[in-house]
Amino acid sequence: DAGVTQSPTHLIKTRGQQVTLRCSPKSGHDTVSWYQQALGQGPQFIFQYYEEEERQRGNFPDRFSGHQFPNYSSELNVNALLLGDSALYLCASSWGRNTEAFFGQGTRLTVV
Amino acid sequence: AQSVTQLGSHVSVSEGALVLLRCNYSSSVPPYLFWYVQYPNQGLQLLLKYTSAATLVKGINGFEAEFKKSETSFHLTKPSAHMSDAAEYFCAVTFRGQNFVFGPGTRLSVLP
């Protein structure tokens, strides 16, 4: 079992550009959540996808959007990048409303 | 609404000494509580979880935590610190399928 996999591991983008991050959940998991972890802080919830729909959303602007595919994998899209979007983006997967979530290694996004 | 506070952004202990990392939570519903560990440039690894069963929870690597409802606490302990325990530790609260709310983290340093 490969666990939760995220790609790419590192990414450098310029202000104003758009970025797409990808996540494959742990085998058997159908729910994917995304978190943003700024340097020196705890992860902040962005949104959660279940059955290809956004089930919950945190306090993030509409520039942050996502998608879940029929195979449960997910994408996080960020438009009009700001310097403040530089962070580690973590994907977590779980099964249904099960409380235990498994995290990927994250994608380090740097906006210059 | 749920929230988590972690007293002490940085804790230093000597190798072999007791580790105590503090976590207090606020939740309007019976919480599920978690401790995660994060090593540099990595994702989050689950140490242990409380999901309304036994109040004393044992986790991996010799860590344990006790849920105290009256004190709204879920402190993490380890009897004897090892150099490999040096990392960032995050306490998190959730409730059945909802998103995780993380504390700001505590960086543990282990001195030889």
Side-chain angles (χ1 to χ4, degrees):
Chain A
D1 183 3
V4 180
T5 58
Q6 293 186 241
S7 62
T9 55
H10 294 84
L11 202 53
I12 299 175
K13 288 287 189 178
T14 304
R15 277 180 299 174
Q17 285 189 316
Q18 180 265 344
V19 68
T20 297
L21 310 182
R22 295 176 175 82
C23 172
S24 293
K26 182 178 171 65
S27 178
H29 286 183
D30 58 5
T31 301
V32 173
S33 301
W34 288 92
Y35 292 82
Q36 181 195 66
Q37 186 180 17
L39 198 61
Q41 298 183 23
Q44 299 291 316
F45 174 69
I46 302 176
F47 42 54
Q48 183 183 82
Y49 277 85
Y50 173 70
E51 292 187 342
E52 303 180 51
E53 291 193 359
E54 185 181 288
R55 181 161 70 178
Q56 299 174 55
R57 188 178 182 91
N59 189 26
F60 278 80
D62 292 344
R63 297 187 298 109
F64 289 77
S65 63
H67 188 77
Q68 185 178 37
F69 299 94
N71 67 352
Y72 307 120
S73 67
S74 177
E75 290 182 347
L76 163 65
N77 300 290
V78 187
N79 294 321
L81 284 167
L82 304 174
L83 294 179
D85 296 331
S86 296
L88 180 68
Y89 287 85
L90 294 165
C91 171
S93 74
S94 56
W95 179 78
R97 292 194 177 273
N98 191 292
T99 53
E100 185 167 348
F102 291 80
F103 284 81
Q105 295 302 295
T107 294
R108 174 73 63 186
L109 172 65
T110 302
V111 182
V112 297
Chain B
Q2 298 170 319
S3 65
V4 175
T5 57
Q6 293 182 241
L7 185 62
S9 59
H10 185 204
V11 171
S12 291
V13 300
S14 298
E15 191 173 20
L18 171 72
V19 175
L20 171 61
L21 304 182
R22 299 178 186 275
C23 171
N24 288 89
Y25 69 91
S26 172
S27 178
S28 56
V29 295
Y32 292 171
L33 295 157
F34 296 75
W35 276 99
Y36 283 88
V37 61
Q38 185 175 40
Y39 298 98
N41 300 313
Q42 293 191 24
L44 301 176
Q45 180 183 4
L46 178 66
L47 276 178
L48 50 78
K49 61 180 179 180
Y50 167 76
T51 56
S52 75
T55 56
L56 182 61
V57 181
K58 295 186 183 298
I60 63 171
N61 301 337
F63 284 94
E64 63 181 38
E66 185 172 8
F67 171 67
K68 292 186 176 180
K69 183 178 179 180
S70 61
E71 299 177 7
T72 60
S73 69
F74 191 57
H75 302 329
L76 182 70
T77 61
K78 182 175 181 177
S80 177
H82 191 272
M83 297 296 289
S84 62
D85 295 328
E88 189 88 19
Y89 290 80
F90 293 95
C91 182
V93 63
T94 186
F95 178 70
R96 286 192 59 82
Q98 301 298 308
N99 59 283
F100 284 78
V101 175
F102 287 88
T106 296
R107 182 161 60 94
L108 175 66
S109 296
V110 181
L111 308 174

